């Protein structure tokens, strides 16, 4: 059961969820729920480009997983009337990979690169010139006979997404005309997301049920939509169940508590609290103790716990706050390794 729920809360989409999420994905800024500041900024940027009959500036979408970066990239292409070509940073491991993608672009096309911070350094350096002058230099030959041949590119708009903007080199960040910083969603915005998704799925869901689901969705629309899918399954199996009871029954079954914490969240907190007396404890030691990769804890678990005030990152490692200690039923005593 816990493995199945891990797939629900993992920010990376499972293959069988692609069609489900695609059906719920808005296609215009007007349909996009939440992120009002970013929506307003993008609306001005895209309208100004349309009035001047030019391609929009290069755009960097930064923020935690599951907040709508890919959706916004598709909307940018749709709103500007341009085709969108998809690429992934981890797949671009050589400059030649990027050269092949860039040379195939047609005029005005939108190139979306997800997780751009994981692109190879040689490709990043090639991208500098491509973004500014719409050309790249191809090295032909080897040794003393090698020569640099310039290749002109069609004008394009790069839309890049990253969950770690701090890992991008400054020269690359500076070449984006606009950087959008996406924030976690409020419960009210998530309730609107859930109501829209339920309507598209033809699922009966009252406002109290939607609010309950929103409170347990960790401020993330992707998780809200996946939990909504589990609620739909619960209602199909338990016919005649009230929708609020269905939400509570489904989320209890999949081990999501009232604060949105899942099995791994609680395991991390229990480990810090009971084995290390509240911390601090180093990330690698913590990862080994719970049997997870350090990157999973750092990128999936920590952001939510820190945002909720349950966990703190200290110079000596991770430590539970007093609120976190109380949440797992432990007294805040003087025997802690270090007060937080």
């Amino acid at each position: 059961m816990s493995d199945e729920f891990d797939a629900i809360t993992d920010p990376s989409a499972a293959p069988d969820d692609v069609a489900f999420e695609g059906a719920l994905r808005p296609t215009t800024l007007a349909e996009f729920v939440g992120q009002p500041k970013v929506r307003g900024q993008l609306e001005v940027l895209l309208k100004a480009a349309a009035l001047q009959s030019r391609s929009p500036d290069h755009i960097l979408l930064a923020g935690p997983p599951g907040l709508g970066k890919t959706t916004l990239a598709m909307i940018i292409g749709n709103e500007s009337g341009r085709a969108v070509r998809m690429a992934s940073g981890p797949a671009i491991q050589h400059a030649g990979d990027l050269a092949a993608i860039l040379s195939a672009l047609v005029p005005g096309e939108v190139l979306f690169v997800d997780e751009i911070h994981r692109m190879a350094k040689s490709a990043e350096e090639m991208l500098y010139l491509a973004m500014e002058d719409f050309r790249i230099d191809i090295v032909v030959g080897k040794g003393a006979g090698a020569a640099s041949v310039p290749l002109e590119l069609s004008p394009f708009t790069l839309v890049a997404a990253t969950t770690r903007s701090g890992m991008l080199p400054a020269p690359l960040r500076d070449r984006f005309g606009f950087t959008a910083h996406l924030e976690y969603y409020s419960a009210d915005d998530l309730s609107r997301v859930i109501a829209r998704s339920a309507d598209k799925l033809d699922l009966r869901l009252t406002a109290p049920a939607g609010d309950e689901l929103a409170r347990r969705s960790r401020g993330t629309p992707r998780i809200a939509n996946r939990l909504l899918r589990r609620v739909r399954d619960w209602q199909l199996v338990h016919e005649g169940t009230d929708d609020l009871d269905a939400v509570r029954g489904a989320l209890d079954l999949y081990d999501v508590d009232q604060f949105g914490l899942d099995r791994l969240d609680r395991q991390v907190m229990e480990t810090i609290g009971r084995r290390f007396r509240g911390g601090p404890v180093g990330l690698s030691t913590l990862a080994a103790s719970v049997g997870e990769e350090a990157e999973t804890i750092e990128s999936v678990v920590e952001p939510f716990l820190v945002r909720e005030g349950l966990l703190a990152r200290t110079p000596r490692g991770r430590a539970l706050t007093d609120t976190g200690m109380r949440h797992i039923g432990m007294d805040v005593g003087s025997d802690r390794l270090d007060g937080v």
Side-chain angles (χ1 to χ4, degrees), residues 19-36:
F20 174 77
E21 293 183 359
L24 303 180
R25 189 167 276 163
T27 57
T28 65
L29 285 174
E31 293 179 2
F32 191 88
V33 177
Q35 310 293 341

Side-chain angles (χ1 to χ4, degrees), residues 186-241:
S186 67
D188 288 342
D189 282 341
L190 273 183
S191 294
R192 293 167 56 204
V193 170
I194 291 167
R196 178 183 178 279
S197 298
D199 182 63
K200 284 188 170 292
L201 293 173
D202 197 23
L203 178 65
R204 179 179 58 85
L205 202 68
T206 60
D211 293 343
E212 178 80 12
L213 187 57
R215 284 193 296 270
R216 301 200 198 187
S217 296
R218 306 166 68 102
T220 306
R222 179 181 296 166
I223 294 175
N225 284 330
R226 294 197 189 173
L227 293 179
L228 180 64
R229 188 178 182 178
R230 300 283 75 81
V231 171
R232 181 187 62 177
D233 293 346
W234 178 276
Q235 285 192 327
L236 286 173
V237 173
H238 300 82
E239 292 186 55
T241 306

Side-chain angles (χ1 to χ4, degrees), residues 5-302:
F5 182 73
D6 290 343
I8 298 173
T9 56
D10 189 342
S12 57
D16 62 345
D17 288 334
V18 173
F20 174 77
E21 293 183 359
L24 303 180
R25 189 167 276 163
T27 57
T28 65
L29 285 174
E31 293 179 2
F32 191 88
V33 177
Q35 310 293 341
K37 187 171 183 178
V38 170
R39 281 192 292 116
Q41 293 167 336
L42 285 175
E43 186 176 7
V44 170
L45 186 150
L46 296 176
K47 284 187 176 180
L51 291 172
Q52 298 174 55
S53 301
R54 61 172 175 81
S55 297
D57 291 340
H58 302 304
I59 299 170
L60 177 63
L61 305 172
L67 299 188
K69 295 185 291 297
T70 301
T71 298
L72 282 174
M74 303 299 292
I75 288 175
I76 289 168
N78 185 56
E79 293 270 357
S80 57
R82 316 278 182 170
V84 179
R85 186 180 296 265
M86 311 288 284
S88 173
I92 304 175
Q93 292 303 307
H94 306 281
D97 298 335
L98 180 62
I101 295 172
L102 294 175
S103 61
L105 295 175
V106 300
E109 197 166 14
V110 174
L111 172 61
F112 174 59
V113 180
D114 196 14
E115 296 297 301
I116 192 173
H117 63 273
R118 296 176 62 187
M119 190 166 56
K121 183 174 179 58
S122 59
E124 286 180 351
E125 294 173 348
M126 175 179 283
L127 196 54
Y128 299 161
L129 192 60
M131 293 173 69
E132 281 196 333
D133 300 332
F134 299 112
R135 71 178 180 87
I136 55 178
D137 292 331
I138 304 295
V139 178
V140 179
K142 294 183 179 180
S148 179
V149 179
L151 175 64
E152 298 296 325
L153 303 174
S154 300
F156 68 95
T157 295
L158 173 64
V159 179
T162 179
T163 54
R164 297 186 177 183
S165 57
M167 293 181 64
L168 291 178
L172 181 56
R173 285 200 309 268
D174 293 344
R175 282 170 168 79
F176 286 97
F178 168 63
T179 298
H181 296 279
L182 277 66
E183 305 289 344
Y184 283 106
Y185 281 56
S186 67
D188 288 342
D189 282 341
L190 273 183
S191 294
R192 293 167 56 204
V193 170
I194 291 167
R196 178 183 178 279
S197 298
D199 182 63
K200 284 188 170 292
L201 293 173
D202 197 23
L203 178 65
R204 179 179 58 85
L205 202 68
T206 60
D211 293 343
E212 178 80 12
L213 187 57
R215 284 193 296 270
R216 301 200 198 187
S217 296
R218 306 166 68 102
T220 306
R222 179 181 296 166
I223 294 175
N225 284 330
R226 294 197 189 173
L227 293 179
L228 180 64
R229 188 178 182 178
R230 300 283 75 81
V231 171
R232 181 187 62 177
D233 293 346
W234 178 276
Q235 285 192 327
L236 286 173
V237 173
H238 300 82
E239 292 186 55
T241 306
D242 179 81
D243 58 352
L244 182 56
D245 291 337
V247 168
R248 290 171 176 168
L251 299 190
D252 289 346
L253 175 65
Y254 290 104
D255 213 16
V256 187
D257 70 15
Q258 294 182 346
F259 296 92
L261 301 184
D262 62 21
R263 176 199 61 82
L264 183 55
D265 296 324
R266 289 191 294 273
Q267 185 179 5
V268 167
M269 293 179 64
E270 291 277 349
T271 299
I272 297 175
R274 302 188 188 282
R275 185 176 299 182
F276 298 100
R277 290 183 289 163
V281 55
L283 178 61
S284 59
T285 302
L286 177 60
S289 299
V290 298
E292 290 286 348
E293 295 291 333
E295 184 178 354
T296 300
I297 294 176
E298 189 174 28
S299 61
V300 177
V301 177
E302 281 187 359

